[in-house]
């Protein structure tokens, strides 16, 4: 028989990304990516997922003759029950009590393991990415929202009810901005890609000058976090202020995590890593200012390496880990 592969499925608020991962993490085949388009409903998402999965399975059979597909790992956003394969609530997708595991088993007749999407991204980076070989790690995923994952002694920490790792909902200002979760002052309300773009637009509306206005032809709602990073790199003063302020917010959150978990590595995953040293230098400085020195000395803060595919690798690894500990 040929090598054994696992389908890794990353369901994000913005994109659906799928690939087939060899069980030793040495190969990724047939990567497929498309926009999530959550506004079109759950059935539409599942139909497009089905088409992607079939194309990846066909690519695997074509490119790796004799390969065996042994299962599917799925990273999904929101509150979920891994054992039952149910996504209880995924606000960005409009899902409630979605039997995702059962729906996906209708597409491919293989075992399915469900895991939180942010956990998957962190697990992928710890398996073959920026924190490879690390036994104690924290990961932050920064995109539409801010997610996270906690690795303790080489394994994901899920907590008492699968809710551990919701790092985006650390409170950094008790009377601060309203978050999508309904709380006030969450890290996500300041440091997500959505919040970065919003804060830049708000400052422009308050009278600040910025090249971002010309980039979006005056339509401030069209500003994206990526535009802010690019403008900062080009020397735009407002964009630089937003990126530096974001680093301070993240630094406050990361410092708390260092003091609580004492990890060997903190991995930052997502588009925010494109800000490079303009983000990571002030972030590191803020962490050093706030966290205990022994915790700082033991930890490195690094950008993720698996740009765009961390969740795919991690979803496959989540399946393998769940099978190993079943």
């Amino acid at each position: 028989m040929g090598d054994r592969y696992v389908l890794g499925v990353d369901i994000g608020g913005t994109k659906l990304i799928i690939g087939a991962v060899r069980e030793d993490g040495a190969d990724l085949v047939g990567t497929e990516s498309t926009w999530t388009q959550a506004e079109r409903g759950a059935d539409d998402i599942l139909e497009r997922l089905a088409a992607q999965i079939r194309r990846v399975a066909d690519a695997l059979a074509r490119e790796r003759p004799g390969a065996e597909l042994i299962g599917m790992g799925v990273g999904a956003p929101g509150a979920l029950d891994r054992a039952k394969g149910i996504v209880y609530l995924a606000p960005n997708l409009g899902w409630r009590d979605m039997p995702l595991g059962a729906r996906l088993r209708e597409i491919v007749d293989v075992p399915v393991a469900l895991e939180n999407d942010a956990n998957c991204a962190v697990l992928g980076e710890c398996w073959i990415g920026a924190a490879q070989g690390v036994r104690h790690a924290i990961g932050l995923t920064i995109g539409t929202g801010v997610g996270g994952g906690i690795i303790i002694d080489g394994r994901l920490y899920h907590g008492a009810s699968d809710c551990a790792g919701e790092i985006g909902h650390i409170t950094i200002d008790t009377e601060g901005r309203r978050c999508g979760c309904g709380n006030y002052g969450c890290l996500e309300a300041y440091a997500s890609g959505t919040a970065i773009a919003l804060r830049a637009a708000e400052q422009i509306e308050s009278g600040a000058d910025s090249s971002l206005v010309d980039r979006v032809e005056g339509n401030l709602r069209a500003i994206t976090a990526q535009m802010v990073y690019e403008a900062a790199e080009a020397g735009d003063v407002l964009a630089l202020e937003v990126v530096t302020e974001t680093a301070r917010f993240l630094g406050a959150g990361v410092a708390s995590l260092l003091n609580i978990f004492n990890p060997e590595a903190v991995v930052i995953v997502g588009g925010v890593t494109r800000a490079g040293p303009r983000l990571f230098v002030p972030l590191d400085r803020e962490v050093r200012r706030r966290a205990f020195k022994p915790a700082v000395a033991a930890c490195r803060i690094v950008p993720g390496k698996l740009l765009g595919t961390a969740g795919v690798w991690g979803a496959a690894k989540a399946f393998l880990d769940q099978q190993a500990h079943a």
Side-chain angles (χ1 to χ4, degrees):
M1 295 183 65
D3 293 323
R4 293 163 27 120
Y5 282 76
V6 178
L7 283 174
V9 179
D10 181 14
I11 303 174
T14 303
K15 286 186 177 181
L16 309 173
I17 309 174
I18 301 175
V21 179
R22 203 167 79 182
E23 66 177 336
D24 63 357
D27 189 26
L28 174 63
V29 177
T31 307
E32 286 268 342
S33 176
T34 189
W35 300 108
T36 304
Q37 295 177 298
E39 70 280 1
R40 295 170 62 172
D43 287 341
D44 178 78
I45 291 175
L46 287 165
E47 285 175 11
R48 285 182 294 113
L49 271 176
Q52 284 182 287
I53 288 168
R54 293 187 184 105
R55 287 195 296 270
V56 171
D58 288 345
L60 179 65
R62 183 175 61 252
E63 297 177 24
R64 303 292 186 272
E68 179 186 5
L69 192 60
I70 63 170
M72 184 190 312
V74 183
L80 50 85
D81 185 319
R82 291 177 300 129
K84 295 180 180 179
I86 296 173
V87 179
Y88 287 126
L89 181 64
N92 288 340
L93 298 180
W95 289 1
R96 185 181 293 274
D97 298 329
M98 165 67 74
L100 184 60
R103 295 288 298 270
L104 291 175
R105 277 192 296 273
E106 294 172 0
I107 299 168
V108 181
D109 187 20
V110 294
V112 176
L114 194 61
E115 182 58 83
N116 176 267
D117 60 341
N119 279 350
C120 286
V122 176
L123 189 59
E125 290 290 350
C126 287
W127 188 25
I128 62 161
Q132 186 173 13
V134 169
R135 300 292 297 173
H136 304 283
I138 303 289
L140 283 79
T141 59
I142 301 176
T144 306
V146 176
I150 302 164
I151 305 287
I152 297 177
D153 200 21
R155 293 186 61 185
L156 277 171
Y157 176 69
H158 292 96
S161 57
D162 269 353
C163 289
E166 290 290 350
I167 292 168
H169 302 288
I170 293 173
T171 299
I172 60 171
D173 183 348
T174 57
E175 297 182 2
R177 291 172 175 268
R178 186 173 176 84
C179 180
C181 73
N183 200 353
Y184 290 87
C186 292
L187 180 61
E188 180 173 301
Y190 293 86
S192 68
T194 306
I196 289 167
L198 177 62
R199 285 169 34 232
E202 287 174 349
Q203 291 194 42
I204 293 169
E205 288 174 339
S206 297
D209 291 326
S210 174
S211 62
L212 289 165
V213 176
D214 292 333
R215 286 174 181 247
V216 296
E217 298 179 345
N219 179 12
L220 300 186
R221 291 185 178 182
I223 293 174
T224 65
Q226 177 64 30
M227 291 178 188
V228 176
Y229 309 146
E230 291 171 357
E233 184 63 27
D236 184 277
V237 174
L238 169 63
L240 281 167
E241 288 177 355
V242 171
V243 170
T244 301
E245 189 180 39
T246 301
R248 289 200 297 269
F249 293 136
L250 286 171
V254 169
S256 295
L257 295 168
L258 259 65
N259 288 342
I260 296 167
F261 292 103
N262 192 197
E264 300 165 77
V266 171
V267 186
I268 311 292
V269 181
V272 72
T273 59
R274 296 188 181 96
R278 296 185 186 280
L279 175 87
F280 281 88
V281 169
L283 192 164
D284 188 70
R285 184 166 56 241
E286 190 71 12
V287 171
R288 290 177 179 277
R289 189 172 76 85
R290 292 179 177 271
F292 290 126
K293 289 183 179 179
V296 171
C299 183
R300 54 193 176 94
I301 302 171
V302 295
K305 287 184 178 179
L306 307 175
L307 298 180
T309 59
V312 172
W313 292 98
K317 185 64 164 69
F319 171 84
L320 294 168
D321 286 352
Q322 288 187 33
Q323 291 291 301
H325 296 100

